[in-house]
Amino acid sequence: MSGAIGRRSLLAAGGAAALVPWLPAWAQPIASGLPTVGGADIRLSIAHRMLSVDGRTSHAIGINGTIPGPLVRLKEGTTARLHVTNVLPDEDSSIHWHGLILPFHMDGVPGISFPGIAPGATFTYEFPVRQSGTYWYHSHSGLQEQMGHYGPIVIDPADPDPVAYDREHVIVLSDHSALHPHGIFKKLKQMGGYFNHNKQTLAGLIAGRDQPLNDRVAWGAMRMDPTDISDVTAAAYTYLVNGHGPADNWTGLFAAGERVRLRVINASAMTTFNIRVPELAMTVVQADGLNVRPVKVGEFQIGVAETYDVIVEPEDRAYSIIAENSDRSGMARATLAPRPGMTAPVPPLRARPLATMRDMGMGDMSMDHGAMGHGMTAPGEPMRHGMRDMKGAPSVKDTPAVQSISPMPVDRTGEPGQGLEDVADALTYRDLVALDRNPDTRVPSREMQIHLTGNMERYMWAFDGVKMNEVTAPIPFTLGERVRVTLVNDTMMTHPIHLHGHFFELVTGKGDHAPRKHTVNVQPGGKVTFDLTADAPGDWAFHCHLLYHMHAGMMQVVTVRAAEDAA
């Protein structure tokens, strides 16, 4: 019964839905099948609407009247034709098909691949479906994504699916705020850490919590805050599963003995989630839509815009699905249960993590003055100057968008991510092995390095110190060339970096079965290396998928041209 809902469950779900007939189908708290669109011609409509979360109503943008938008179900080997109408009265819109391999002019990024969709206009996207797996779609216009303009995509494979399962649930994670996104951005510009309500306190120092006094003084001298894990926290957000808040408790049903496939999509604007189902192991079978060798884990971190498919085999009882923000200021919560109305205990938020010297790009150095003064030229020079030694990154332009340069960045792909350091069975990128042999195993013909830079105090984000509005030329690739790219994170923030129109192979020692991804989380003060085959001609967006980082400038254009055209 691959991908189907059992008859008994349907009857049970239908009975529960009858208890709340005033809610639309998507809003039913018991999963009774997602609103789904498919077929030869798919029509989507973008419009304002109101969204009710945990009993509170606020303004949002929906697609076909729902948040998230309907599940777009495609079939590998067919042609997708999607007619998208913008009903917003006074602003352009767009849809980007995240992770899909398609012609660049169908990619849906205004100003790069097409002009956008004007109010009242309809744009038809048409492209061959060349892949299978779990993906998603979202606006690439302004900050509409924050307001609910996103939805899931599932592409069924042309051949038999190598992943066996009896039932599936799509889990769309997101972060919703009653604040207007431009209001959130304004506050971030006005004061770094505006939404961080979990800073270190004097009471904590007296009680022996968090950093000792010497470390606090040293970090303060550098104007660094070890509690600065997320720019926007639960102080502004309610975290959603399929458009439902924790109190709404979205519930996915199963029958005992079934293998249940959870297609987890992080469609949030700014939130890195740590996912677990207490007392239930998860087997990761797919990452970013592509199959991987099964790996059993207890928890995994999912960056913004990443997807993971996992298999669970629950017993005849209820389980909580916990998606904890990596700063542990809040969580999304849902339930897996064999029958409607069942719930499982919801664990409390765990203690918030603190950033370390490693997150500052100090590698394995311990906390001492000498380490923090790396790069200082004279005794007594303020230590933060030592964190901005431009000689350590000669390719980075010296601009206000560079607050620090990581002195000793290290490859952190073997680490599970902030907040999971003490979780023994958490997933890391090095656990991922592609199920199929990589399509291109050539040795890269050249290498390049790109620095992720930022200034938290001024809320400026950039690549190599240059914001998008200051870029004068795209990053050039020759069609067909193979390039090794290293991303160096010079900031204390995790950045999910996404390249449109391509997959790349992470260099994690897996040879010709390297995991292939379209989005990679680069840990603070760390670096990630991947090999890219530039096989898609055209202009492509390349950016941090934290919405406000992209909006503030951490974005570039990658151009792929044939050698004769590039000359």
Side-chain angles (χ1 to χ4, degrees):
M1 195 178 63
S2 178
I5 304 296
R7 179 175 179 275
R8 183 177 61 178
S9 298
L10 274 175
L11 292 172
L19 299 176
V20 283
W22 57 89
L23 296 176
W26 174 253
Q28 305 298 333
I30 305 297
S32 55
L34 304 181
T36 302
V37 293
D41 285 275
I42 296 172
R43 299 188 182 279
L44 299 173
S45 180
I46 303 163
H48 291 294
R49 57 153 293 170
M50 302 304 288
L51 175 65
S52 179
V53 174
D54 289 349
R56 301 180 62 183
T57 302
S58 56
H59 174 240
I61 295 176
I63 301 171
N64 288 8
T66 66
I67 297 173
L71 168 63
V72 173
R73 191 124 207 166
L74 304 175
K75 177 80 172 180
E76 182 183 14
T78 64
T79 296
R81 190 160 49 248
L82 303 109
H83 311 278
V84 179
T85 299
N86 178 13
V87 186
L88 300 174
D90 53 5
E91 57 183 311
D92 288 4
S93 192
S94 58
I95 289 184
H96 162 60
W97 315 99
H98 188 101
L100 267 58
I101 302 302
L102 36 62
F104 83 94
H105 59 286
M106 292 288 121
D107 195 45
V109 182
I112 296 178
S113 52
F114 84 139
I117 309 173
T122 296
F123 183 84
T124 297
Y125 297 83
E126 184 170 350
F127 51 86
V129 181
R130 300 164 51 192
Q131 61 204 99
S132 61
T134 302
Y135 303 92
W136 65 297
Y137 59 94
H138 61 85
S139 173
H140 231 293
S141 298
L143 302 176
Q144 294 171 0
E145 182 186 333
Q146 175 76 91
M147 300 185 71
H149 186 335
Y150 51 79
I153 301 172
V154 172
I155 305 177
D156 294 311
D159 298 321
D161 196 328
V163 180
Y165 59 99
D166 302 301
R167 177 191 304 256
E168 69 176 9
H169 289 299
V170 176
I171 306 291
V172 180
L173 302 170
S174 60
D175 42 24
H176 174 73
S177 178
L179 292 173
H180 192 280
H182 284 290
I184 294 175
F185 188 70
K186 182 179 179 181
K187 292 184 184 302
L188 290 170
K189 291 290 285 185
Q190 288 174 332
M191 187 173 80
Y194 180 89
F195 296 103
N196 181 4
H197 295 185
N198 284 310
K199 297 185 179 184
Q200 297 184 108
T201 63
L202 176 60
L205 179 65
I206 295 171
R209 295 194 300 269
D210 302 331
Q211 289 180 319
L213 179 60
N214 288 346
D215 288 359
R216 294 186 187 214
V217 171
W219 280 66
M222 292 185 295
R223 307 181 77 168
M224 298 290 188
D225 181 355
T227 68
D228 187 16
I229 307 296
S230 300
D231 292 353
V232 190
T233 69
Y237 282 148
T238 300
Y239 301 106
L240 311 184
V241 174
N242 292 343
H244 297 270
D248 292 336
N249 188 27
W250 179 90
T251 298
L253 298 176
F254 64 88
E258 287 184 330
R259 284 170 56 88
V260 181
R261 181 175 191 163
L262 303 179
R263 299 179 182 268
V264 185
I265 302 167
N266 187 349
S268 67
M270 291 293 288
T271 304
T272 301
F273 287 107
N274 294 326
I275 312 294
R276 70 189 193 276
V277 184
E279 302 182 34
L280 188 61
M282 300 176 287
T283 300
V284 178
V285 294
Q286 199 175 89
D288 282 6
L290 301 183
N291 295 319
V292 297
R293 293 176 186 171
V295 54
K296 185 170 288 189
V297 300
E299 189 162 1
F300 65 92
Q301 182 168 98
I302 182 169
V304 175
E306 291 187 307
T307 74
Y308 283 102
D309 285 25
V310 302
I311 298 292
V312 295
E313 299 181 70
E315 299 175 355
D316 188 28
R317 47 160 288 197
Y319 299 85
S320 290
I321 301 173
I322 302 298
E324 200 173 49
N325 183 354
S326 61
D327 73 3
R328 295 181 177 170
S329 62
M331 68 169 69
R333 166 254 186 156
T335 295
L336 278 178
R339 291 170 292 280
M342 298 179 70
T343 60
V346 177
L349 289 169
R350 296 172 289 189
R352 60 144 160 66
L354 289 179
T356 66
M357 296 287 285
R358 201 170 175 80
D359 299 314
M360 210 185 295
M362 291 296 210
D364 295 318
M365 296 189 72
S366 60
M367 185 73 174
D368 63 76
H369 252 237
M372 298 171 70
H374 178 85
M376 288 169 53
T377 56
E381 183 180 0
M383 284 181 291
R384 61 191 176 93
H385 290 183
M387 293 302 298
R388 198 178 181 281
D389 182 1
M390 300 303 294
K391 295 192 294 294
S395 62
V396 175
K397 191 172 182 180
D398 190 351
T399 71
V402 183
Q403 189 172 17
S404 60
I405 295 292
S406 295
M408 287 164 282
V410 295
D411 185 331
R412 303 187 69 178
T413 55
E415 301 175 35
Q418 283 183 307
L420 296 182
E421 294 86 353
D422 298 329
V423 178
D425 54 355
L427 181 75
T428 75
Y429 283 146
R430 292 186 193 174
D431 294 326
L432 298 175
V433 182
L435 187 64
D436 301 316
R437 188 171 186 266
N438 298 153
D440 189 351
T441 58
R442 292 176 297 161
V443 175
S445 59
R446 68 181 175 105
E447 298 186 13
M448 63 185 302
Q449 192 174 84
I450 298 172
H451 285 253
L452 319 180
T453 58
N455 185 326
M456 187 63 192
E457 292 179 353
R458 301 177 66 172
Y459 210 73
M460 302 168 71
W461 302 96
F463 288 130
D464 288 334
V466 183
K467 297 191 300 178
M468 180 63 180
N469 63 356
E470 298 168 342
V471 166
T472 57
I475 301 173
F477 289 92
T478 301
L479 182 63
E481 76 167 330
R482 187 137 168 94
V483 182
R484 175 158 291 184
V485 180
T486 296
L487 304 175
V488 180
N489 191 345
D490 289 319
T491 80
M492 284 180 55
M493 284 281 165
T494 300
H495 297 285
I497 302 300
H498 172 47
L499 174 60
H500 289 221
H502 294 78
F503 279 88
F504 45 77
E505 292 82 42
L506 295 183
V507 179
T508 54
K510 298 303 186 291
D512 59 4
H513 283 73
R516 307 184 71 221
K517 292 180 62 61
H518 50 63
T519 305
V520 61
N521 243 5
V522 187
Q523 297 296 329
K527 59 183 180 181
V528 166
T529 298
F530 61 77
D531 291 340
L532 168 71
T533 299
D535 57 1
D539 294 334
W540 303 97
F542 173 62
H543 60 91
C544 176
H545 223 287
L546 296 179
L547 184 63
Y548 299 109
H549 288 193
M550 180 179 70
H551 194 65
M554 191 176 275
M555 183 171 182
Q556 241 285 25
V557 177
V558 163
T559 185
V560 179
R561 295 284 186 272
E564 56 272 25
D565 296 333

